[in-house]
Amino acid sequence: MKLINCLNEKTVEVRSTLKERGPILSRLVALVLATAGFMDPDALLGEIEAREKLGSTGIGQGVAIPHVHLKGIEGLHVAMMTVPGGVDFGAMDDMPCNIFIIVVGPDEDREGYLKLLAEVSRLLSKEKTRGTLLAAKTPAELLATIRDAEAG
Amino acid sequence: MVKKILLVITAQAESLKRVDFVAQLALASDAQIIALNVVDTSVAKHLKTATGTSESETIVRLQEDGWHYLYDVEDTCKGLGAKIVLQQEEGFPESVIGNTAKRFKADLVVMAYSRAGGYTQTRSERFVTSVIERVDCPVLVV
């Protein structure tokens, strides 16, 4: 599963000026539901926040990947946002997070969900990719960066 | 009191089988699990010869497999309600584990031990001993 196939211009946002964890999560939920209203936003936000309470999904180097798998939804759903100013997301390396990707998958496809999380995490471990994503001025530029990174 | 448990995920069946135990341990002491996988990039050179794939392709595969294991472990811990964060690093595993334990001020390192016998078991013994020599906190071998 390629990340690029899970994103479109409606599910990405660049250069957000949000400064706090709560509004970031709310915005990610709104983005991931933008093209596929597969569940109630408040319910999804509750699930995402419950996961964050067990430990930050900030994986270091400025990247956070809030994620959850749920019963009764179909397919994998992803949204992405860059926040160049950075936000304290409680990551273990204490660095502010500036690239956020939300991943929502079905209980019934746990393997596909884990594979996509692994692909996203690996992709964003590359410093060059992170730099290009943060420099993107439009959703189209961000999507082009993802496409190039996955091709390379 | 144990507040931070560094769980070494060596992508071995042994480490995955014991996740439930570590999650229960964390719950009992209200500790946070830091699940760590180390991508041993030097292995890629050997695998290149064995598999015929390029070194960079092999590293990509190791990185993805590592994250896959980590998220698998996280999912199990989450199901039990244990607090967990994930870390993946690259380098010489024993050194990375030692440095990570110090950096995150781990109170306990948990790692699996293979009882498979033969070379695998000997290698596992050396690995465990080498980690013990590099960390300041107790090491629990399961």
Side-chain angles (χ1 to χ4, degrees):
Chain A
M1 171 64 76
K2 297 262 186 189
L3 173 60
I4 191 65
N5 296 332
C6 302
L7 294 168
N8 60 59
E9 291 199 17
K10 288 183 181 170
T11 57
V12 300
E13 183 168 304
V14 296
R15 303 199 163 197
S16 169
T17 55
L18 292 173
K19 291 180 172 61
E20 290 176 24
R21 183 190 186 105
I24 293 270
L25 290 176
S26 297
R27 185 63 189 141
L28 284 168
V29 164
L31 285 169
V32 81
L33 294 172
T35 53
F38 53 87
M39 71 183 288
D40 174 67
D42 289 339
L44 179 55
L45 184 60
E47 295 284 352
I48 290 289
E49 283 176 339
R51 166 63 192 88
E52 292 295 328
K53 278 180 187 163
L54 294 178
S56 172
T57 53
I59 60 170
Q61 299 174 311
V63 177
I65 310 175
H67 55 275
V68 66
H69 63 83
L70 302 163
K71 198 176 277 184
I73 63 166
E74 285 187 19
L76 294 161
H77 303 275
V78 183
M80 187 168 180
M81 182 162 65
T82 60
V83 188
V87 175
D88 178 8
F89 211 70
M92 285 299 289
D93 63 0
D94 290 328
M95 280 177 66
C97 291
N98 45 31
I99 298 174
F100 295 85
I101 300 191
I102 184 171
V103 177
V104 184
D107 277 354
E108 294 73 17
D109 184 20
R110 184 172 176 272
E111 187 57 25
Y113 166 80
L114 292 176
K115 278 186 177 169
L116 181 61
L117 281 171
E119 160 74 0
V120 170
S121 304
R122 181 193 63 78
L123 207 63
L124 295 177
S125 67
K126 295 180 189 167
E127 189 176 356
K128 187 182 167 192
T129 303
R130 293 196 305 272
T132 315
L133 286 171
L134 284 171
K137 291 176 184 157
T138 64
E141 280 183 27
L142 185 141
L143 293 173
T145 300
I146 298 285
R147 194 174 292 112
D148 290 348
E150 288 192 308
Chain B
M1 285 290 285
V2 174
K3 285 295 165 197
K4 287 184 181 175
I5 300 172
L6 183 67
L7 171 62
V8 178
I9 305 297
T10 52
Q12 290 177 339
E14 285 78 9
S15 59
L16 297 178
K17 280 179 198 164
R18 289 161 177 85
V19 172
D20 277 17
F21 169 78
V22 179
Q24 297 294 352
L25 183 67
L27 284 168
S29 50
D30 194 27
Q32 181 178 51
I33 298 168
I34 303 162
L36 169 71
N37 182 65
V38 185
V39 176
D40 185 351
T41 46
S42 67
V43 166
K45 286 176 189 157
H46 302 296
L47 288 176
K48 178 188 165 189
T49 311
T51 63
T53 54
S54 72
E55 200 172 320
S56 59
E57 283 174 323
T58 305
I59 290 173
V60 165
R61 178 75 189 273
L62 290 172
Q63 289 170 333
E64 285 201 5
D65 284 353
W67 280 116
H68 190 287
Y69 277 115
L70 285 170
Y71 282 112
D72 196 352
V73 166
E74 182 204 71
D75 204 38
T76 302
C77 289
K78 184 189 160 196
L80 295 167
K83 296 177 199 165
I84 179 166
V85 292
L86 310 181
Q87 285 287 308
Q88 178 153 282
E89 308 275 348
E90 292 184 12
F92 181 60
E94 290 91 324
S95 301
V96 173
I97 293 164
N99 292 338
T100 306
K102 284 173 192 155
R103 183 156 49 105
F104 294 139
K105 299 184 174 71
D107 304 301
L108 179 70
V109 173
V110 179
M111 50 195 306
Y113 170 68
S114 173
R115 295 165 180 83
Y119 175 71
T120 305
Q121 188 162 341
T122 305
R123 190 167 168 270
S124 186
E125 283 168 8
R126 285 186 192 151
F127 182 58
V128 168
T129 306
S130 186
V131 170
I132 289 169
E133 288 167 353
R134 285 174 162 83
V135 298
D136 301 327
C137 65
V139 177
L140 176 63
V141 182
V142 292

